[in-house]
């Protein structure tokens, strides 16, 4: 009987110890907030994540160049028109000389003379354009670009004048050819400058219905030339 009584005492002590441990655990869990429990878990999850590197936003350059011109140079960008919606644009030293925003883009060949801030924007009157080119002062930089069609009403005398400025493509221009040309009057442009580009209309290759893709000429020109 004494052994039986001792077993009961041991069992009672074990049950009491288990009950006490459960109660202490309950109290401890009540003292912990959800935030304190979630913090270690969040930390473990973050360990496996790779850091996200964000590239800095590139600084906008003059005339939307990809890289800036060196000091002592002017930036320029000439873009032909494309389709009905994308109008021609001429930018010089971050100033839009001819553009949709300025409201001075015309059908045909658009011409800007930099050092006199002169603009003509149509080849509907080819004789007037020829006179405009003839009257450009010495030391002028001429920027030319087409919008829509620049060939149909362009007369031979105007073509000859543009050819004399160095154009290799003006005589080859066709209906709705995209064309851009940079010329100097009274000085020589650096040899590393692209001065002319053309893209003929081809129904099999056109980007737009009836029109070829736009073309762009951009670069930098030394200030001491103008």
């Amino acid at each position: 009987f004494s052994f039986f009584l001792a077993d009961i005492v041991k069992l009672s002590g074990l049950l009491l110890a288990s009950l006490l441990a459960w109660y202490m655990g309950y109290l401890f869990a009540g003292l912990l907030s959800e935030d304190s429990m979630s913090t270690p878990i969040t930390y473990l999850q973050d360990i496996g994540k790779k850091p996200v590197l964000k590239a800095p936003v590139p600084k906008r350059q003059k005339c939307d160049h990809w890289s800036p011109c060196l000091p002592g140079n002017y930036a320029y960008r000439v873009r032909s028109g494309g389709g009905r919606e994308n109008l021609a644009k001429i930018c010089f030293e971050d100033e839009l000389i001819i553009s949709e925003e300025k409201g001075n883009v015309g059908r045909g060949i658009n011409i800007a003379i930099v050092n006199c801030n002169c603009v003509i924007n149509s080849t509907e009157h080819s004789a007037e354009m020829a006179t405009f080119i003839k009257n450009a002062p010495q030391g002028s930089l001429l920027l030319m670009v087409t919008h829509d069609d620049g060939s149909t009403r362009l007369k031979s005398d105007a073509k000859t004048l543009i050819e004399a400025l160095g154009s290799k493509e003006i005589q080859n221009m066709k209906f709705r050819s995209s064309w851009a040309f940079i010329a100097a009057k009274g000085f020589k442009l650096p040899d590393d400058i692209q001065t002319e580009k053309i893209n003929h209309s081809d129904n099999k290759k056109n980007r737009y219905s009836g029109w070829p893709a736009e073309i762009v000429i951009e670069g930098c020109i030394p200030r001491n030339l103008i």
Side-chain angles (χ1 to χ4, degrees):
F1 178 76
S2 60
F3 289 109
F4 178 71
L5 184 61
D7 290 339
I8 292 177
V9 172
K10 290 180 181 180
L11 181 60
S12 299
L14 182 61
L15 290 174
L16 182 61
S18 299
L19 182 62
L20 182 61
W22 174 84
Y23 183 69
M24 291 299 292
Y26 174 78
L27 291 177
F28 181 73
L31 293 174
L32 293 176
S33 65
E34 291 184 3
D35 292 340
S36 62
M37 292 292 290
S38 62
T39 299
I41 297 174
T42 302
Y43 176 75
L44 291 174
Q45 290 175 341
D46 290 342
I47 291 176
K49 293 181 180 179
K50 294 182 179 179
V52 178
L53 301 177
K54 293 184 178 180
V57 178
K59 181 181 177 181
R60 182 189 172 277
Q61 305 300 333
K62 291 180 179 179
C63 292
D64 294 324
H65 280 204
W66 282 106
S67 57
C69 291
L70 294 175
N73 286 264
Y74 291 120
Y76 62 85
R77 190 171 194 263
V78 178
R79 191 196 72 187
S80 68
R84 297 183 183 276
E85 305 298 330
N86 300 310
L87 275 62
K89 184 179 293 187
I90 294 178
C91 176
F92 186 81
E93 197 58 11
D94 218 26
E95 179 184 353
L96 288 175
I97 303 175
I98 292 178
S99 68
E100 181 179 6
E101 293 85 346
K102 301 269 288 190
N104 60 353
V105 180
R107 182 178 186 268
I109 297 178
N110 295 260
I111 306 176
I113 302 176
V114 169
N115 61 344
C116 73
N117 199 26
C118 307
V119 169
I120 190 169
N121 53 22
S122 177
T123 50
E124 297 298 306
H125 304 285
S126 184
E128 291 182 8
M129 192 183 76
T131 301
F132 181 80
I133 295 173
K134 286 179 182 178
N135 292 338
Q138 291 294 308
S140 297
L141 180 69
L142 294 87
L143 308 174
M144 308 185 190
V145 68
T146 55
H147 177 69
D148 193 355
D149 173 52
S151 66
T152 302
R153 299 192 180 185
L154 186 63
K155 306 301 182 183
S156 59
D157 58 339
K159 289 182 179 181
T160 300
L161 284 172
I162 296 173
E163 188 175 36
L165 290 172
S167 172
K168 307 296 184 185
E169 299 289 352
I170 190 65
Q171 299 290 352
N172 301 323
M173 190 180 293
K174 302 175 182 178
F175 178 68
R176 285 184 176 169
S177 294
S178 287
W179 176 75
F181 178 54
I182 299 172
K185 189 173 182 180
F187 66 95
K188 184 179 182 300
L189 290 172
D191 293 333
D192 60 347
I193 287 180
Q194 183 180 25
T195 59
E196 190 170 24
K197 198 172 181 180
I198 195 166
N199 189 15
H200 296 297
S201 178
D202 184 334
N203 289 332
K204 295 181 180 179
K205 300 179 180 178
N206 284 343
R207 176 178 295 177
Y208 309 99
S209 178
W211 284 272
E214 309 93 327
I215 55 173
V216 175
I217 293 179
E218 67 177 30
C220 310
I221 183 171
R223 291 174 178 264
N224 60 4
L225 294 180
I226 303 176

